[in-house]
Amino acid sequence: MTPQRVGVVGGGIVGLAVGRELARRHGVHVTVLEKEQALAMHQTGHNSGVVHAGIYYRPGSLKATLCARGRHLLRDFCAEHGIAYDECGKLVVALDPSETGRFDALEKTAHENGVPGLRRLDGAEIADVEPYATGRAALHSPRTAITDYPAVARALGAQIEAAGGEVLLGREVTGIRQGVSGVVVRWAGGPDPAERVFDRVVVCAGLQSDRVGVSERGPVVVPFRGEYMRVAAGKQDLVRGMVYPVPDPRYPFLGVHFTRRVDGTLEVGPNAVLALAREGYGRWGLDLGDVADVVRWPGFWRVAAAHWRTGVRELAGSLSVRAYMRAASRYVPAIGADDVVRAGSGVRAQAVDRDGSLVDDFRITTSDDVTCVRNAPSPAATSSLAIAEHVAGLLR
Ligand SMILES: Cc1cc2nc3c(=O)[nH]c(=O)nc-3n(C[C@H](O)[C@H](O)[C@H](O)COP(=O)(O)OP(=O)(O)OC[C@H]3O[C@@H](n4cnc5c(N)ncnc54)[C@H](O)[C@@H]3O)c2cc1C
């Protein structure tokens, strides 16, 4: 039976998509509780804006299935709401022979995931798609798109309200417990009573997802900051769509890439640097509570032991624009360190299990009447509308 009153914690794209799905399609009274004074202030508002076509994800995984469905749903949603959606396409470029095995495996995965229009290009054909890019071979995904995720989030919020629901800003949820007549949610901030009972609660707290609504410790969120560079106006048209490296399969991150934005600018990034604050967007942001949570988690030390070399390399790129661009310029040699300025950054919530494994797939758990989205990294923005269908299915 579908519940009547659902509380959703988190006004990022996943929480809002879940709220809208329940309110519009299932007639549920939805209350979204968001701690910031505006929607999409964290991952949703600091991402690359890419609508992924499903190249990378393990066939059959939640990421693979929900990304494919989510892309369709998102394209229709953007068309319906007049939100920018540009299928400018993407290349994944292999530069040297050592990448052949990974490149072939990626092509196979992409085909198994049914990535539409996928083609393998040889070195000479790359220039037909991206005249300034170079490489030995590339995968071309013409339907990979870009959009404006904060605008999508705002439109989802408006739909929740239009369906009779509430989107309450400045409400930080401080406690969730199972009561006899439902789930009791307590919050700080706002003029209204700071406690309410819901039939069900869905927690989509992004960077705080290991702290809200969960009783057991772990997986713990380890924050990775992704920094962007903006390409100077005179060179921003040298890339038409997106140019990505072949990713290292040991990591859930896709590698620094060239990405067009819907406002016509061109960015390079994001890298992946261990962050000392979950919601710290400056390079020196430090939150001692966040650091303490990470260092107390055995899984973190296992990640650190296994990947410290990569960590040092990423840090070097973070400290020096030249080091950052040395790797990126190999894909588009006409754009170098003198052609970029530092732009913003985002922080990824990467869940890490006790054994040190970086949780790869989306992870959604339910205990009593509380459902928690525990790991929703990229492509969760792309997949958000499909994640919402999935969660609504769990609630029924
Ligand atoms: C640098 C970067 C690049 C990315 N690029 C892409 C991309 O190109 N394409 C793609 O598909 N995905 C991308 N992603 C991933 C994508 O942005 C996220 O997967 C997605 O935004 C997750 O949405 P969310 O709603 O779960 O989290 P968030 O957007 O982080 O929202 C969580 C919300 O919960 C709120 N909250 C937390 N705790 C509480 C509390 N106690 N009470 C009330 N509210 C609370 C927060 O304030 C926040 O608004 C990227 C992410 C990053 C960081």
Side-chain angles (χ1 to χ4, degrees):
M1 202 179 70
T2 308
Q4 298 300 303
R5 300 159 302 165
V6 173
V8 175
V9 183
I13 198 164
V14 174
L16 293 163
V18 168
R20 178 252 193 187
E21 175 73 16
L22 293 170
R24 288 234 328 169
R25 306 265 303 273
H26 302 277
V28 172
H29 184 270
V30 168
T31 303
V32 176
L33 299 160
E34 164 55 49
K35 70 181 170 71
E36 305 294 348
Q37 297 296 343
L39 300 176
M41 292 296 281
H42 292 295
Q43 295 176 93
T44 302
H46 290 90
N47 66 26
S48 301
V50 177
V51 183
H52 290 285
I55 295 176
Y56 307 96
Y57 319 115
R58 186 173 50 77
S61 62
L62 281 178
K63 274 188 178 178
T65 51
L66 299 181
C67 177
R69 170 124 183 100
R71 186 179 67 82
H72 283 290
L73 295 173
L74 187 61
R75 195 185 48 195
D76 293 350
F77 185 89
C78 289
E80 211 178 294
H81 293 270
I83 296 170
Y85 187 97
D86 179 1
E87 286 186 341
C88 54
K90 140 177 181 170
L91 289 180
V92 181
V93 177
L95 288 177
D96 73 63
S98 66
E99 294 175 304
T100 305
R102 281 190 277 148
F103 184 76
D104 290 347
L106 199 62
E107 182 181 22
K108 184 165 172 283
T109 301
H111 280 303
E112 283 183 51
N113 286 340
V115 173
L118 190 86
R119 275 193 320 138
R120 186 181 178 120
L121 309 179
D122 63 28
E125 289 169 322
I126 288 176
D128 298 339
V129 178
E130 290 288 356
Y132 291 89
T134 57
R136 285 170 59 86
L139 295 177
H140 181 217
S141 164
R143 307 297 289 278
T144 297
I146 50 174
T147 191
D148 179 349
Y149 284 118
V152 174
R154 287 190 295 272
L156 291 168
Q159 285 211 322
I160 293 170
E161 290 177 328
E166 304 165 284
V167 178
L168 303 180
L169 302 174
R171 292 353 186 252
E172 177 163 10
V173 171
T174 52
I176 297 178
R177 69 182 162 79
Q178 186 77 41
V180 271
S181 56
V183 186
V184 183
V185 176
R186 221 179 34 245
W187 65 82
D192 39 354
E195 190 168 286
R196 216 186 270 185
V197 181
F198 297 98
D199 299 326
R200 300 289 292 264
V201 168
V202 183
V203 181
C204 310
L207 287 151
Q208 311 295 339
S209 58
D210 55 343
R211 292 172 171 163
V212 186
V214 290
S215 44
E216 81 284 12
R217 186 151 154 78
V220 160
V221 167
V222 176
F224 284 92
R225 204 177 55 256
E227 299 155 326
Y228 294 91
M229 302 285 163
R230 181 160 307 121
V231 177
K235 291 207 170 171
Q236 70 184 15
D237 293 330
L238 299 192
V239 175
R240 295 171 172 167
M242 289 158 265
V243 178
Y244 279 65
V246 178
D248 183 333
R250 288 174 303 161
Y251 302 105
F253 314 125
L254 302 180
V256 166
H257 43 89
F258 289 82
T259 310
R260 184 154 286 287
R261 294 282 187 171
V262 289
D263 65 3
T265 56
L266 179 66
E267 286 190 353
V268 191
N271 56 358
V273 187
L274 183 65
L276 301 180
R278 295 187 184 196
E279 297 176 359
Y281 297 99
R283 201 146 12 118
W284 309 112
L286 169 68
D287 182 307
L288 292 177
D290 290 349
V291 173
D293 268 4
V294 167
V295 298
R296 282 192 289 121
W297 183 238
F300 166 71
W301 293 106
R302 297 194 174 107
V303 174
H307 303 295
W308 66 270
R309 279 191 191 79
T310 309
V312 170
R313 203 169 50 237
E314 290 289 310
L315 187 61
S318 166
L319 295 173
S320 150
V321 176
R322 287 205 179 273
Y324 188 106
M325 288 303 295
R326 203 171 297 132
S329 297
R330 296 197 303 151
Y331 298 86
V332 185
I335 300 177
D338 296 332
D339 303 311
V340 298
V341 290
R342 287 185 188 276
S345 72
V347 182
R348 306 174 185 85
Q350 176 58 53
V352 175
D353 274 324
R354 182 173 285 276
D355 66 0
S357 42
L358 304 171
V359 179
D360 184 47
D361 207 359
F362 299 148
R363 187 176 289 179
I364 301 168
T365 59
T366 298
S367 170
D368 294 328
D369 292 329
V370 182
T371 297
C372 294
V373 176
R374 303 292 303 269
N375 192 50
S378 183
T382 304
S383 317
S384 51
L385 299 174
I387 294 175
E389 290 181 338
H390 180 76
V391 169
L394 297 177
L395 260 57
R396 281 201 307 278

